[in-house]
Amino acid sequence: MSIIDKLSLVEKTYEDIVQKLNDANIKDNRVIQDLMKKKSEIEDIVEEYKKLKVVLKEIDESNEMINNPDTDKELKDMALLEIEELNQKKEDIINGLRLLLLPKDKNDGKNIIVEIRVGTGGDESALFVGDLFRMYTRFIERTNLKMEIIDTSPTELGGYKEVIFSVSGKDAYRTLKFESGTHRVQRIPATESGGRIHTSASTVAVMPEAMESDVVIKDEDIRVDIFRSSGPGGQSVNTTDSAVRITHLPTGLVVQCQDEKSQHKNKAKALKVLRARIYEKEEAERKAKEAKERREQIGSGDRSERIRTYNFPQNRVTDHRINVTLYKLDRFMDGEITEITDALFKKEQEDMLASYSD
């Protein structure tokens, strides 16, 4: 099927949806909302297709003028110049439409759960967890996204063993999904008297937030333990037993939350994280199966590989997936990360274009 055939089908679908929305007999709000959602998803494609049809018509008219023996030379020359511009315009529109026609990641519009954890490097890794947490916090402040802390495990030196937080807002998952992976840091620790550069790492997991309808957690499948919250070094944070640990028996996944003073709030947050982890696990298995069937490696979610290196002495950040190096690490750590996240999104689109033929 050619791209024009695909576009014709999308336009026909759009016209059918508009006709249904204009039908006064449809009273069910859920049906109307579903139709509105589908209309919104393909509206941009239809608008671009309309522009393409205008250009194709103008190309045909120019060709008729060029091939008409009664057309004088001056008009033919003008038509040849015009057709060159029109062909370029046609290619630009078609390239844009190819991107719009690509399969959408169903999770792109979802809110997310982000987990940052220590990796190799001990205390230095824990300090870097704190640095990454601040980086994402500042990035989120620069956007229209919102953050809510779910759980933290601070260390005595000011770092964190683990930080878990949620991010909500338009396209939260699409905005930050490429941050999943191992983040390596190279710098001279404050405790290093010899001035030697140490290498350590922290890991980041970005998971789509799952709705209750996405993942059903049965009461008999979980064990809930209640305990007293504690801070770094065993320092008591709460004098009541409000911290919650949930173990999902079928998968062995364990989640705990102690940031809230309310046991019920901690349990609700822990369940939200657990649901996201189960959903991510199921999604990873599904994507792995798809990748095997059609060699599609996009969005595999593999966190085992080093994705980025932060070199503080050289003020350098390198993303190894796209071989991009920026010499403005200070600004990057202040939340200015879009130059790399946008490049990663563009690469994803290019990889998908290469994987799908017309």
Side-chain angles (χ1 to χ4, degrees):
M1 182 185 289
S2 72
I3 190 168
I4 300 297
D5 292 334
K6 284 184 180 180
L7 291 166
S8 297
L9 284 174
V10 172
E11 186 179 48
K12 178 67 170 60
T13 301
Y14 183 83
E15 289 168 352
D16 289 343
I17 291 170
V18 171
Q19 188 175 353
K20 287 176 183 176
L21 285 170
N22 291 331
D23 186 350
N25 294 320
I26 298 178
K27 306 291 186 183
D28 191 329
N29 283 333
R30 286 175 298 180
V31 173
I32 293 170
Q33 286 174 4
D34 185 52
L35 288 169
M36 290 293 289
K37 183 174 180 289
K38 289 177 180 176
K39 177 176 175 282
S40 174
E41 286 172 352
I42 61 175
E43 206 155 22
D44 289 345
I45 296 173
V46 173
E47 287 303 312
E48 288 301 304
Y49 181 40
K50 286 178 181 176
K51 293 178 187 176
L52 177 63
K53 286 195 290 185
V54 170
V55 171
L56 291 174
K57 185 181 178 184
E58 290 175 349
I59 288 173
D60 287 341
E61 290 172 352
S62 295
N63 277 321
E64 284 179 16
M65 186 179 293
I66 292 166
N67 296 322
N68 189 336
D70 296 329
T71 305
D72 63 44
K73 185 178 183 304
E74 188 177 347
L75 281 175
K76 278 189 178 182
D77 290 342
M78 286 175 63
L80 284 167
L81 285 172
E82 187 177 53
I83 208 167
E84 191 176 326
E85 293 175 2
L86 287 168
N87 279 325
Q88 183 58 56
K89 193 173 181 181
K90 180 188 80 171
E91 285 305 308
D92 291 342
I93 294 173
I94 287 176
N95 287 336
L97 280 163
R98 283 197 179 101
L99 293 176
L100 288 172
L101 285 167
L102 287 174
K104 301 292 187 295
D105 187 331
K106 66 177 182 178
N107 294 318
D108 275 354
K110 286 180 178 279
N111 296 333
I112 56 175
I113 305 291
V114 181
E115 299 180 346
I116 313 173
R117 291 196 180 89
V118 292
T120 54
D123 290 336
E124 180 61 18
S125 173
L127 290 170
F128 188 53
V129 169
D131 292 336
L132 289 174
F133 178 45
R134 283 186 288 275
M135 180 183 82
Y136 293 129
T137 300
R138 286 167 186 164
F139 169 71
I140 290 163
E141 287 171 353
R142 294 172 185 272
T143 66
N144 292 321
L145 300 174
K146 293 182 180 178
M147 171 194 283
E148 182 185 7
I149 296 172
I150 293 176
D151 198 35
T152 59
S153 299
T155 63
E156 291 180 343
L157 293 179
Y160 295 91
K161 291 180 182 177
E162 177 184 69
V163 177
I164 303 174
F165 57 93
S166 63
V167 182
S168 58
K170 181 176 170 56
D171 294 331
Y173 181 71
R174 192 185 79 172
T175 303
L176 285 166
K177 64 182 177 181
F178 301 110
E179 295 304 297
S180 281
T182 299
H183 296 243
R184 186 177 70 169
V185 58
Q186 296 171 326
R187 63 183 173 189
I188 303 167
T191 54
E192 171 58 56
S193 58
R196 290 174 299 177
I197 296 174
H198 285 224
T199 299
S200 57
S202 302
T203 62
V204 176
V206 178
M207 302 173 292
E209 190 175 297
M211 307 299 291
E212 289 187 26
S213 57
D214 294 325
V215 176
V216 177
I217 299 176
K218 299 177 183 176
D219 290 340
E220 59 266 31
D221 285 343
I222 59 173
R223 185 179 71 242
V224 181
D225 298 310
I226 310 300
F227 59 99
R228 186 160 296 182
S229 302
S230 62
Q235 178 187 352
S236 178
V237 170
N238 210 324
T239 56
T240 60
D241 292 335
S242 61
V244 174
R245 181 185 298 111
I246 298 178
T247 303
H248 187 244
L249 302 174
T251 61
L253 292 169
V254 180
V255 179
Q256 70 177 43
C257 185
Q258 61 178 12
D259 265 31
E260 299 286 348
K261 293 183 179 179
S262 161
Q263 181 186 126
H264 295 295
K265 287 182 179 178
N266 280 328
K267 183 179 179 182
K269 284 187 173 182
L271 279 170
K272 186 158 84 167
V273 174
L274 178 61
R275 195 173 286 113
R277 288 186 186 173
I278 294 171
Y279 183 77
E280 185 207 29
K281 184 175 183 293
E282 292 173 351
E283 282 289 283
E285 290 170 355
R286 180 184 64 79
K287 285 179 179 178
K289 185 179 178 182
E290 287 179 2
K292 186 177 180 182
E293 289 174 353
R294 58 185 181 128
R295 297 179 180 176
E296 218 273 75
Q297 298 299 321
I298 299 165
S300 65
D302 184 1
R303 295 191 220 134
S304 62
E305 295 181 3
R306 174 196 65 190
I307 64 164
R308 195 175 295 149
T309 295
Y310 304 73
N311 186 299
F312 279 77
Q314 296 179 16
N315 196 35
R316 167 173 60 82
V317 57
T318 300
D319 196 288
H320 304 289
R321 295 162 293 182
I322 48 178
N323 294 319
V324 169
T325 295
L326 305 176
Y327 287 90
K328 44 185 173 183
L329 179 58
D330 51 344
R331 288 162 58 185
F332 197 85
M333 298 306 295
D334 196 43
E336 295 182 25
I337 68 174
T338 52
E339 190 169 345
I340 281 182
T341 56
D342 286 352
L344 286 162
F345 182 65
K346 184 180 178 183
K347 181 181 184 296
E348 180 190 52
Q349 291 184 317
E350 290 170 351
D351 288 347
M352 289 180 74
L353 278 172
S355 299
Y356 293 93
S357 64
D358 284 351

